[in-house]
Amino acid sequence: MRLSGKVGIVTAAASGMGRAGSEIFAREGASVAVVDRDEQGVNQVVEEINQAGGNAFAIGADLRDDKAAAEIVERTVSEFGRLDFVWNHLGHPGPAAVEGVDMAEYDLAIDLNLRSQLVTTEAAIPYMRDAGGGSLVYTASTAGISGSPQSPVYSMVKHGIVGFVRSLSRRLGPDNIRVNAVCPGPIDTPMLRVFVSRPDSSPDAPSRTAEEVEEMVAGRAGVVPLKRFGQPDEVAKAAMFLISDDASFITGAALPVDGGITA
Ligand SMILES: NC(=O)c1ccc[n+]([C@@H]2O[C@H](COP(=O)([O-])OP(=O)(O)OC[C@H]3O[C@@H](n4cnc5c(N)ncnc54)[C@H](O)[C@@H]3O)[C@@H](O)[C@H]2O)c1
């Protein structure tokens, strides 16, 4: 098993890639704190993991709250006795518009893509340093590598997390704490619909019906060189690789998991 004996946290873990990661990491021997504001969702994920013989516990937490974002670390250490990895997977699409931008949506994008990651990281570093090392993985996006006309604010914050990852990898290297990002392309989760249904740039473009969105979703797969969207487990396995000792000399990387889009 590739994560045998390791203890870690996955955020945004009631759905999509975070859920897949919690399940896969537990199957590979990790003890996992499964964190999401959707309490019912995390309880269900944990029940399934524990029934399958894994070791997980649920934390219902709104990570927009600084206290909650720090406490997930303390609660994990008090439950499992140590901390080896965090997959900071939480994120938010933010506002589509620049002209006429909704600043409340902007604040949400900052809080859920950058602020909570900083707060959780601050809480995690001392435990990893004391243990002689650890692995921090963040979810950026292909929009953190290249620009996105549909989602410029999202691209701004995801470039921000990639900058944080690169800087932290250099800062924490001497402590044997590796820091990396996964950069998903379009992955078939509820959030994909938010991005695909956005107009290219015009703030006045009409909103779309659910049927139109599904048509667009089907059409958009064609722009991916592999001609399909990714599945949540395909990103979770890349995160697992970065967490695992197989990636022992990899730090500061922003790994595209995108079917070739950024190529
Ligand atoms: N789906 C994609 O195509 C795609 C592409 C690139 C990057 N991403 C990134 O992947 C991450 C999540 O995407 P997903 O597609 O797996 O998501 P998802 O839509 O499947 O799930 C998001 C989860 O986040 C939780 N959440 C939302 N606000 C929260 C809060 N304040 N506190 C705690 N939990 C909260 C929700 O309850 C939900 O379970 C984000 O960082 C996103 O930017 C997604």
Short mmCIF file of all heavy atoms in Angstrom, two decimals, residues 12 14-18 36-38 61-64 89-92 112-113 139-141 154 158 184-187 189-192 195, ligand 1:
data_model
loop_
_atom_site.label_atom_id
_atom_site.label_comp_id
_atom_site.label_asym_id
_atom_site.label_seq_id
_atom_site.Cartn_x
_atom_site.Cartn_y
_atom_site.Cartn_z
N ALA A 12 -12.76 19.74 1.08
CA ALA A 12 -13.76 19.65 0.01
C ALA A 12 -13.97 18.19 -0.37
O ALA A 12 -13.96 17.82 -1.55
CB ALA A 12 -13.36 20.50 -1.20
N ALA A 14 -16.52 15.97 0.40
CA ALA A 14 -17.83 15.32 0.34
C ALA A 14 -18.26 15.02 -1.08
O ALA A 14 -19.25 14.35 -1.33
CB ALA A 14 -18.88 16.19 1.02
N SER A 15 -17.50 15.55 -2.06
CA SER A 15 -17.93 15.45 -3.45
C SER A 15 -16.70 15.35 -4.35
O SER A 15 -15.57 15.54 -3.90
CB SER A 15 -18.75 16.72 -3.79
OG SER A 15 -19.02 16.81 -5.17
N GLY A 16 -16.93 15.04 -5.61
CA GLY A 16 -15.92 15.16 -6.64
C GLY A 16 -14.57 14.53 -6.33
O GLY A 16 -14.47 13.40 -5.82
N MET A 17 -13.53 15.28 -6.64
CA MET A 17 -12.16 14.77 -6.53
C MET A 17 -11.75 14.56 -5.08
O MET A 17 -11.01 13.63 -4.76
CB MET A 17 -11.19 15.76 -7.18
CG MET A 17 -11.48 16.03 -8.63
SD MET A 17 -10.42 17.36 -9.25
CE MET A 17 -11.63 18.57 -9.75
N GLY A 18 -12.22 15.43 -4.18
CA GLY A 18 -11.86 15.29 -2.76
C GLY A 18 -12.43 14.02 -2.17
O GLY A 18 -11.76 13.31 -1.39
N ASP A 36 -15.41 18.82 5.04
CA ASP A 36 -16.28 19.53 4.10
C ASP A 36 -17.33 20.26 4.94
O ASP A 36 -17.61 19.86 6.07
CB ASP A 36 -16.97 18.55 3.14
CG ASP A 36 -17.49 19.21 1.86
OD1 ASP A 36 -18.47 19.99 1.95
OD2 ASP A 36 -16.91 18.94 0.79
N ARG A 37 -17.93 21.30 4.36
CA ARG A 37 -19.03 21.93 5.11
C ARG A 37 -20.31 21.09 5.03
O ARG A 37 -21.23 21.31 5.80
CB ARG A 37 -19.26 23.36 4.63
CG ARG A 37 -19.90 23.43 3.28
CD ARG A 37 -20.34 24.82 2.92
NE ARG A 37 -20.77 24.79 1.54
CZ ARG A 37 -20.94 25.85 0.78
NH1 ARG A 37 -20.70 27.05 1.25
NH2 ARG A 37 -21.34 25.73 -0.46
N ASP A 38 -20.36 20.17 4.09
CA ASP A 38 -21.51 19.28 3.94
C ASP A 38 -21.35 18.09 4.92
O ASP A 38 -20.73 17.08 4.60
CB ASP A 38 -21.55 18.79 2.48
CG ASP A 38 -22.62 17.71 2.25
OD1 ASP A 38 -23.32 17.34 3.20
OD2 ASP A 38 -22.71 17.26 1.09
N ALA A 61 -16.99 21.28 8.53
CA ALA A 61 -16.42 22.60 8.82
C ALA A 61 -16.58 23.52 7.62
O ALA A 61 -16.29 23.11 6.49
CB ALA A 61 -14.93 22.46 9.15
N ASP A 62 -17.02 24.75 7.89
CA ASP A 62 -17.03 25.77 6.84
C ASP A 62 -15.66 26.44 6.86
O ASP A 62 -15.34 27.19 7.77
CB ASP A 62 -18.14 26.79 7.09
CG ASP A 62 -18.23 27.80 5.96
OD1 ASP A 62 -17.23 27.95 5.21
OD2 ASP A 62 -19.28 28.44 5.81
N LEU A 63 -14.86 26.17 5.84
CA LEU A 63 -13.46 26.60 5.85
C LEU A 63 -13.30 28.08 5.50
O LEU A 63 -12.17 28.58 5.43
CB LEU A 63 -12.64 25.72 4.90
CG LEU A 63 -12.60 24.24 5.35
CD1 LEU A 63 -11.88 23.39 4.31
CD2 LEU A 63 -11.92 24.10 6.71
N ARG A 64 -14.41 28.77 5.33
CA ARG A 64 -14.31 30.22 5.18
C ARG A 64 -13.99 30.85 6.53
O ARG A 64 -13.53 32.00 6.61
CB ARG A 64 -15.62 30.77 4.64
CG ARG A 64 -15.35 32.05 3.89
CD ARG A 64 -16.54 32.63 3.20
NE ARG A 64 -16.13 33.87 2.55
CZ ARG A 64 -16.95 34.79 2.13
NH1 ARG A 64 -18.24 34.62 2.25
NH2 ARG A 64 -16.51 35.88 1.57
N HIS A 89 -7.77 20.84 -1.11
CA HIS A 89 -8.45 20.72 -2.40
C HIS A 89 -9.55 21.76 -2.61
O HIS A 89 -9.99 22.01 -3.73
CB HIS A 89 -9.02 19.30 -2.51
CG HIS A 89 -9.81 19.06 -3.75
ND1 HIS A 89 -9.25 19.14 -5.01
CD2 HIS A 89 -11.13 18.77 -3.95
CE1 HIS A 89 -10.20 18.92 -5.92
NE2 HIS A 89 -11.34 18.69 -5.30
N LEU A 90 -9.98 22.40 -1.52
CA LEU A 90 -11.10 23.36 -1.61
C LEU A 90 -10.83 24.45 -2.66
O LEU A 90 -9.70 24.86 -2.84
CB LEU A 90 -11.29 24.02 -0.24
CG LEU A 90 -12.41 25.06 -0.13
CD1 LEU A 90 -13.77 24.42 -0.31
CD2 LEU A 90 -12.34 25.77 1.23
N GLY A 91 -11.89 24.89 -3.30
CA GLY A 91 -11.77 26.01 -4.24
C GLY A 91 -13.15 26.53 -4.59
O GLY A 91 -14.17 25.97 -4.16
N HIS A 92 -13.18 27.61 -5.35
CA HIS A 92 -14.47 28.23 -5.72
C HIS A 92 -14.30 28.91 -7.07
O HIS A 92 -13.26 29.51 -7.33
CB HIS A 92 -14.86 29.26 -4.64
CG HIS A 92 -16.21 29.84 -4.85
ND1 HIS A 92 -16.43 30.99 -5.59
CD2 HIS A 92 -17.43 29.43 -4.42
CE1 HIS A 92 -17.73 31.24 -5.61
NE2 HIS A 92 -18.36 30.32 -4.90
N LEU A 112 -11.84 31.09 -0.37
CA LEU A 112 -11.91 29.63 -0.53
C LEU A 112 -10.77 29.06 -1.40
O LEU A 112 -10.54 27.86 -1.38
CB LEU A 112 -13.27 29.22 -1.10
CG LEU A 112 -14.46 29.56 -0.20
CD1 LEU A 112 -15.75 28.99 -0.78
CD2 LEU A 112 -14.27 29.05 1.22
N ASN A 113 -10.08 29.93 -2.15
CA ASN A 113 -8.96 29.42 -2.96
C ASN A 113 -7.60 29.76 -2.36
O ASN A 113 -6.60 29.13 -2.72
CB ASN A 113 -9.01 29.99 -4.38
CG ASN A 113 -10.13 29.41 -5.23
OD1 ASN A 113 -10.07 28.25 -5.62
ND2 ASN A 113 -11.16 30.19 -5.49
N THR A 139 -4.85 22.12 -4.74
CA THR A 139 -5.50 22.01 -6.04
C THR A 139 -5.52 23.38 -6.69
O THR A 139 -6.20 24.30 -6.21
CB THR A 139 -6.92 21.44 -5.91
OG1 THR A 139 -6.83 20.14 -5.33
CG2 THR A 139 -7.57 21.33 -7.28
N ALA A 140 -4.75 23.51 -7.77
CA ALA A 140 -4.82 24.73 -8.57
C ALA A 140 -5.77 24.43 -9.72
O ALA A 140 -6.91 24.00 -9.51
CB ALA A 140 -3.44 25.15 -9.04
N SER A 141 -5.31 24.57 -10.96
CA SER A 141 -6.15 24.36 -12.14
C SER A 141 -5.28 24.62 -13.36
O SER A 141 -4.23 25.25 -13.24
CB SER A 141 -7.31 25.37 -12.11
OG SER A 141 -7.97 25.43 -13.36
N TYR A 154 -10.86 33.62 -11.34
CA TYR A 154 -10.46 32.26 -10.97
C TYR A 154 -9.00 32.02 -11.36
O TYR A 154 -8.20 31.47 -10.59
CB TYR A 154 -11.39 31.28 -11.67
CG TYR A 154 -11.18 29.82 -11.35
CD1 TYR A 154 -11.52 29.30 -10.10
CD2 TYR A 154 -10.65 28.95 -12.31
CE1 TYR A 154 -11.34 27.95 -9.82
CE2 TYR A 154 -10.48 27.60 -12.03
CZ TYR A 154 -10.83 27.10 -10.79
OH TYR A 154 -10.66 25.77 -10.51
N LYS A 158 -5.93 31.06 -8.88
CA LYS A 158 -5.23 29.78 -9.08
C LYS A 158 -3.75 30.02 -9.43
O LYS A 158 -2.89 29.24 -9.03
CB LYS A 158 -5.93 28.93 -10.14
CG LYS A 158 -7.30 28.39 -9.68
CD LYS A 158 -7.24 27.56 -8.39
CE LYS A 158 -8.52 26.80 -8.11
NZ LYS A 158 -8.47 26.04 -6.84
N PRO A 184 -5.93 20.46 -12.33
CA PRO A 184 -6.90 19.73 -13.15
C PRO A 184 -7.37 20.56 -14.34
O PRO A 184 -7.51 21.78 -14.26
CB PRO A 184 -8.07 19.48 -12.19
CG PRO A 184 -7.55 19.76 -10.81
CD PRO A 184 -6.46 20.77 -10.99
N GLY A 185 -7.61 19.87 -15.44
CA GLY A 185 -8.38 20.42 -16.55
C GLY A 185 -9.85 20.16 -16.24
O GLY A 185 -10.23 20.02 -15.08
N PRO A 186 -10.70 20.08 -17.27
CA PRO A 186 -12.13 19.84 -16.99
C PRO A 186 -12.37 18.44 -16.44
O PRO A 186 -12.07 17.45 -17.11
CB PRO A 186 -12.79 20.02 -18.36
CG PRO A 186 -11.70 19.91 -19.36
CD PRO A 186 -10.42 20.26 -18.69
N ILE A 187 -12.89 18.39 -15.23
CA ILE A 187 -13.14 17.12 -14.55
C ILE A 187 -14.64 17.01 -14.28
O ILE A 187 -15.27 18.00 -13.86
CB ILE A 187 -12.37 17.05 -13.20
CG1 ILE A 187 -10.88 17.39 -13.38
CG2 ILE A 187 -12.56 15.67 -12.55
CD1 ILE A 187 -10.09 16.46 -14.29
N THR A 189 -17.33 16.88 -12.48
CA THR A 189 -17.90 17.08 -11.13
C THR A 189 -18.94 18.20 -11.25
O THR A 189 -19.02 18.86 -12.29
CB THR A 189 -16.82 17.53 -10.12
OG1 THR A 189 -16.50 18.91 -10.41
CG2 THR A 189 -15.55 16.69 -10.20
N PRO A 190 -19.71 18.46 -10.18
CA PRO A 190 -20.69 19.55 -10.25
C PRO A 190 -20.07 20.90 -10.65
O PRO A 190 -20.67 21.70 -11.36
CB PRO A 190 -21.25 19.60 -8.83
CG PRO A 190 -21.08 18.20 -8.30
CD PRO A 190 -19.82 17.69 -8.92
N MET A 191 -18.81 21.14 -10.24
CA MET A 191 -18.20 22.45 -10.52
C MET A 191 -17.94 22.66 -12.01
O MET A 191 -17.91 23.79 -12.50
CB MET A 191 -16.89 22.61 -9.74
CG MET A 191 -16.48 24.05 -9.54
SD MET A 191 -14.97 24.25 -8.58
CE MET A 191 -15.55 24.05 -6.91
N LEU A 192 -17.77 21.58 -12.75
CA LEU A 192 -17.50 21.68 -14.19
C LEU A 192 -18.61 22.45 -14.89
O LEU A 192 -18.36 23.27 -15.78
CB LEU A 192 -17.38 20.27 -14.80
CG LEU A 192 -17.17 20.20 -16.31
CD1 LEU A 192 -15.80 20.77 -16.69
CD2 LEU A 192 -17.29 18.77 -16.80
N PHE A 195 -18.25 26.24 -14.85
CA PHE A 195 -17.27 26.81 -15.78
C PHE A 195 -17.74 26.73 -17.23
O PHE A 195 -17.65 27.69 -17.97
CB PHE A 195 -15.93 26.07 -15.65
CG PHE A 195 -15.24 26.32 -14.35
CD1 PHE A 195 -15.02 25.30 -13.45
CD2 PHE A 195 -14.82 27.61 -14.02
CE1 PHE A 195 -14.38 25.55 -12.25
CE2 PHE A 195 -14.18 27.86 -12.82
CZ PHE A 195 -13.96 26.82 -11.93
N1 LIG B 1 -14.23 20.30 -11.63
C1 LIG B 1 -13.34 20.87 -12.42
O1 LIG B 1 -13.44 20.81 -13.65
C2 LIG B 1 -12.14 21.57 -11.81
C3 LIG B 1 -11.10 21.94 -12.68
C4 LIG B 1 -9.98 22.54 -12.14
C5 LIG B 1 -9.88 22.76 -10.78
N2 LIG B 1 -10.91 22.41 -9.96
C6 LIG B 1 -10.73 22.64 -8.52
O2 LIG B 1 -11.05 21.45 -7.80
C7 LIG B 1 -11.51 21.81 -6.48
C8 LIG B 1 -12.89 21.25 -6.16
O3 LIG B 1 -13.49 20.87 -7.27
P1 LIG B 1 -14.50 19.64 -7.42
O4 LIG B 1 -14.85 19.73 -8.85
O5 LIG B 1 -13.91 18.42 -6.83
O6 LIG B 1 -15.70 20.18 -6.52
P2 LIG B 1 -17.18 19.69 -6.24
O7 LIG B 1 -18.08 20.70 -6.83
O8 LIG B 1 -17.37 18.24 -6.61
O9 LIG B 1 -17.16 19.78 -4.63
C9 LIG B 1 -16.85 20.93 -3.94
C10 LIG B 1 -16.97 20.64 -2.46
O10 LIG B 1 -16.53 21.79 -1.74
C11 LIG B 1 -17.35 21.91 -0.60
N3 LIG B 1 -17.31 23.29 -0.08
C12 LIG B 1 -17.75 24.39 -0.71
N4 LIG B 1 -17.59 25.46 0.09
C13 LIG B 1 -17.02 25.02 1.24
C14 LIG B 1 -16.61 25.66 2.44
N5 LIG B 1 -16.79 26.97 2.64
N6 LIG B 1 -16.05 24.91 3.43
C15 LIG B 1 -15.89 23.57 3.26
N7 LIG B 1 -16.27 22.91 2.13
C16 LIG B 1 -16.83 23.63 1.13
C17 LIG B 1 -18.72 21.53 -1.10
O11 LIG B 1 -19.60 21.19 -0.04
C18 LIG B 1 -18.42 20.34 -2.02
O12 LIG B 1 -18.47 19.11 -1.33
C19 LIG B 1 -11.47 23.30 -6.43
O13 LIG B 1 -10.25 23.72 -5.90
C20 LIG B 1 -11.60 23.69 -7.90
O14 LIG B 1 -11.15 24.99 -8.12
C21 LIG B 1 -12.05 21.83 -10.45
#
